[in-house]
Amino acid sequence: MTEETPGFDEKPDVPSGATPDDAESQAATPSTEEAAAPAGDASAAQLAGLTAQLDQVRTALGERTMDLQRLQAEYQNYRRRVERDRIAVKEIAIANLLTELLPVLDNIARARDHGELVGGFKSVAESLETVAAKMGLQQFGKEGEPFDPMIHEALMHSYAPDVTETTCVAILQPGYRIGERTIRPARVAVAEPQPGAQTVKADSQDSAEAADDKESGGPDEG
């Protein structure tokens, strides 16, 4: 019979080939499930933080995009205003220049009417008229056209039996325009219908109609 040795502590079973230190390490190492729980919580918190940062970046990107679009629209409006102002300034400058040349053009027209536009003077005058036309200067005003106070300036007034409305019967000075802008109205002599001419004409028409009715036997009786 074997006797137990007093004070001998039993040691845990150790697999064959393993040292006692390995057994102690296994006992001290936590299980896989115990280690996975804290790691999963950390990953979820990190993901939530990244999602919040992504939302902030998207919000900031949207705001910057709106700012850029607003700035681009303001720039386009600014460019249109600058171009419109540039064109307006150019038109005003051309109009001022051509307005100063109108007396010269009037003298050329008078010289042409009197047969004095000859030689070198004729060449220079025609060159000046060509340049003025290229800059957009247009002449208007013709005899026989209806009087329009927006583009005509009446310097002389008379009555005529052969007109049915106020008519330009003579062009004293032609008018000039640049595009739709009038830089000088045409100065004209106008004639209005003879007073009472319309009444006499209406009476003549009534008499003629009455004569026609009489010749045809008058209106039919019921």
Side-chain angles (χ1 to χ4, degrees), residues 105-129:
L105 296 177
D106 291 337
N107 291 333
I108 292 175
R110 281 192 289 268
R112 181 181 288 111
D113 293 338
H114 290 83
E116 299 175 355
L117 198 62
V118 294
F121 177 54
K122 178 180 179 181
S123 177
V124 173
E126 291 177 349
S127 298
L128 179 60
E129 291 175 335

Side-chain angles (χ1 to χ4, degrees), residues 105-187:
L105 296 177
D106 291 337
N107 291 333
I108 292 175
R110 281 192 289 268
R112 181 181 288 111
D113 293 338
H114 290 83
E116 299 175 355
L117 198 62
V118 294
F121 177 54
K122 178 180 179 181
S123 177
V124 173
E126 291 177 349
S127 298
L128 179 60
E129 291 175 335
T130 301
V131 171
K134 287 183 178 180
M135 296 179 69
L137 186 66
Q138 299 176 358
Q139 181 179 332
F140 66 91
K142 295 180 180 180
E143 294 182 4
E145 63 185 7
F147 175 76
D148 184 354
M150 299 298 296
I151 60 174
H152 296 135
E153 180 182 355
L155 300 183
M156 299 177 63
H157 177 270
S158 63
Y159 295 97
D162 57 343
V163 297
T164 58
E165 60 180 343
T166 305
T167 305
C168 300
V169 294
I171 305 300
L172 307 179
Q173 276 187 335
Y176 290 95
R177 67 165 63 97
I178 300 176
E180 299 298 327
R181 179 179 180 181
T182 300
I183 61 175
R184 190 181 77 180
R187 293 165 180 169

Side-chain angles (χ1 to χ4, degrees), residues 75-91:
Y75 177 67
Q76 293 296 335
N77 293 334
Y78 168 75
R79 287 187 59 185
R80 282 193 288 268
R81 287 196 302 271
V82 170
E83 182 66 16
R84 185 170 59 250
D85 294 343
R86 185 186 67 82
I87 294 175
V89 170
K90 180 180 178 181
E91 290 179 350

Side-chain angles (χ1 to χ4, degrees), residues 55-75:
D55 292 339
Q56 293 178 357
V57 171
R58 286 176 176 173
T59 301
L61 179 60
E63 292 177 353
R64 298 293 84 77
T65 301
M66 292 179 62
D67 292 341
L68 180 60
Q69 292 175 347
R70 183 166 52 253
L71 182 62
Q72 186 176 10
E74 292 177 355
Y75 177 67

